[in-house]
Amino acid sequence: MDVDLFDFDLPRDLIAQRPAVPRDSARLLDVGAFLADRAMADLPGQLRPGDLLVFNDTKVIPARLSGLRGEAKVEVTLHLQQGPDTWRAFARPARKLHPGDVIRFNEEFTARVTDKGARGEVGLTFDRAGGDLIAALEQWGIMPLPPYIRQGRGDARDRDDYQTLFATREGAVAAPTAGLHFTPDLLRHIEERGVKNSRLTLHVGAGTFLPVTVDRVEDHVMHAEWGEVSPDVAAAVNETHAQGGRVVAVGTTSLRLLESAADETGVVQPFQGETDIFIYPGYRFRAVDLLLTNFHLPRSTLFMLVCAFAGTSRMKAAYAHAVAAGYRFYSYGDGCLLQRGDA
């Protein structure tokens, strides 16, 4: 399958630089048999009593660090924790780093390069672990916003803007951005509608920002991310289906983890571990009935995922409408509600 099938024209001024205020004032494109322009505050009316919203409760850590290897400047963005003091990271410039090199982020905070991978990836072992490492990242790191937001601005305001209402479990280096639209009022209206909600955890990695550089979709390699679906969440999903309700994944991260945890019959099992699931047209969905997500970039794995979910032709038409109507794209942008269709 050719990656060019997932290309489209996106004016750069449609990439949102700040979230809507209040968050639930963002626009919502309802993508079903027809396209309908709504607001995020209209979401409760598009849900049914007995539906289940599944949120990702991961919390973004300030995972971007600037330091020195000798006299040379180095920037690293952590993307996957492998131990209390060890992380996989993307480094710039990676070509000057070698196993054994020490990166000094300040006089008190360092990391040693343990190995080098492909596409600028390195392994890092820090001089501290666990809570002490998180505290150091909070003090010296910045929020790892994608480069499309003013080259990864990550200022003080982003410390709040780039966290969801549900963020409790530290470990993500990118936000599950569909969750950014929710406010306590919106959640209350949803609950009053008779819609339940559950929380899983997928620690989103910086690999979500990597461009697809191959010509064939099947040749792209996804980076692994750690996630957990508890027995209670798995039971809630399965009970919802058994009672005729719909499972609504809030964000592609929730969808990817639920699909990773589902067996061939569609029953979701408790899950804990890494997933590198790559969803593109031809995938058979087993666990998720509706998807609430933001608007994604051309040629991205996330645009491939929504094409798989709702149908490629339908999503190209929806995105063309969104561009013409001035919807705001990407992490701080507007949202769309997708029904499953044929790719």
Side-chain angles (χ1 to χ4, degrees):
M1 189 179 302
D2 198 320
V3 172
D4 287 343
L5 293 172
F6 303 96
D7 202 5
F8 59 90
D9 292 327
L10 176 63
R12 193 166 185 84
D13 61 3
L14 291 185
I15 298 176
Q17 297 299 308
R18 295 287 188 187
V21 180
R23 295 188 180 199
D24 58 7
S25 67
R27 299 170 71 185
L28 176 67
L29 181 60
D30 192 349
V31 182
F34 304 97
L35 300 178
D37 297 305
R38 308 187 191 280
M40 196 60 63
D42 297 327
L43 178 62
Q46 310 312 308
L47 304 174
R48 304 171 188 164
D51 286 347
L52 175 71
L53 288 177
V54 182
F55 296 98
N56 186 356
D57 67 3
T58 190
K59 185 175 183 179
V60 184
I61 59 174
R64 183 170 294 153
L65 293 162
S66 295
L68 295 173
R69 170 198 165 273
E71 299 298 321
K73 293 182 179 179
V74 179
E75 181 180 276
V76 299
T77 301
L78 312 184
H79 78 86
L80 178 67
Q81 186 170 18
Q82 295 187 309
D85 61 349
T86 57
W87 280 80
R88 304 303 297 174
F90 296 112
R92 294 191 307 173
R95 67 183 184 278
K96 295 184 178 180
L97 294 176
H98 305 282
D101 286 348
V102 173
I103 303 173
R104 186 171 299 280
F105 303 110
N106 62 38
E107 292 304 316
E108 305 173 4
F109 184 31
T110 64
R112 178 173 53 84
V113 178
T114 59
D115 65 274
K116 290 185 70 173
R119 302 179 70 183
E121 187 183 40
V122 298
L124 296 177
T125 297
F126 287 89
D127 62 2
R128 63 201 70 195
D132 290 337
L133 176 55
I134 295 296
L137 293 175
E138 290 287 348
Q139 183 172 356
W140 291 299
I142 65 172
M143 294 299 275
L145 267 67
Y148 320 104
I149 299 178
R150 291 180 190 162
Q151 300 183 346
R153 180 187 55 228
D155 60 21
R157 179 175 167 186
D158 287 315
R159 292 252 177 165
D160 293 324
D161 284 348
Y162 204 52
Q163 299 285 12
T164 72
L165 180 66
F166 316 99
T168 54
R169 299 186 68 180
E170 293 174 323
V173 300
T177 54
L180 294 177
H181 299 297
F182 287 81
T183 63
D185 280 347
L186 179 56
L187 194 60
R188 175 173 55 82
H189 291 314
I190 288 170
E191 291 171 345
E192 289 172 350
R193 176 77 170 164
V195 176
K196 300 169 288 184
N197 67 80
S198 292
R199 322 283 170 87
L200 50 68
T201 304
L202 183 72
H203 290 324
V204 192
T208 190
F209 302 140
L210 289 180
V212 177
T213 58
V214 295
D215 295 325
R216 295 178 66 252
V217 171
E218 296 85 351
D219 294 336
H220 179 72
V221 177
M222 295 285 285
H223 282 77
E225 298 164 312
W226 186 92
E228 181 177 18
V229 178
S230 71
D232 286 346
V233 172
V237 170
N238 297 329
E239 182 180 356
T240 296
H241 280 150
Q243 294 180 352
R246 302 175 300 176
V247 173
V248 185
V250 179
T252 57
T253 60
S254 294
L255 180 145
R256 291 178 64 246
L257 188 57
L258 286 174
E259 292 295 324
S260 298
D263 64 22
E264 288 298 320
T265 67
V267 175
V268 172
Q269 308 291 341
F271 179 96
Q272 185 180 79
E274 293 182 4
T275 178
D276 60 358
I277 187 171
F278 180 20
I279 296 175
Y280 53 86
Y283 179 85
R284 182 176 66 85
F285 289 88
R286 297 170 291 184
V288 176
D289 303 298
L290 279 82
L291 171 63
L292 179 71
T293 185
N294 284 18
F295 289 95
H296 306 294
L297 297 183
R299 302 172 65 89
S300 65
T301 60
L302 299 181
F303 184 59
M304 295 172 193
L305 184 153
V306 297
C307 287
F309 189 83
T312 302
S313 296
R314 184 189 295 176
M315 289 312 302
K316 285 188 172 182
Y319 271 49
H321 173 86
V323 169
Y327 276 76
R328 301 162 72 243
F329 275 62
Y330 212 62
S331 299
Y332 281 155
D334 298 313
C336 53
L337 180 65
L338 310 182
Q339 298 180 23
R340 273 167 58 173
D342 296 323

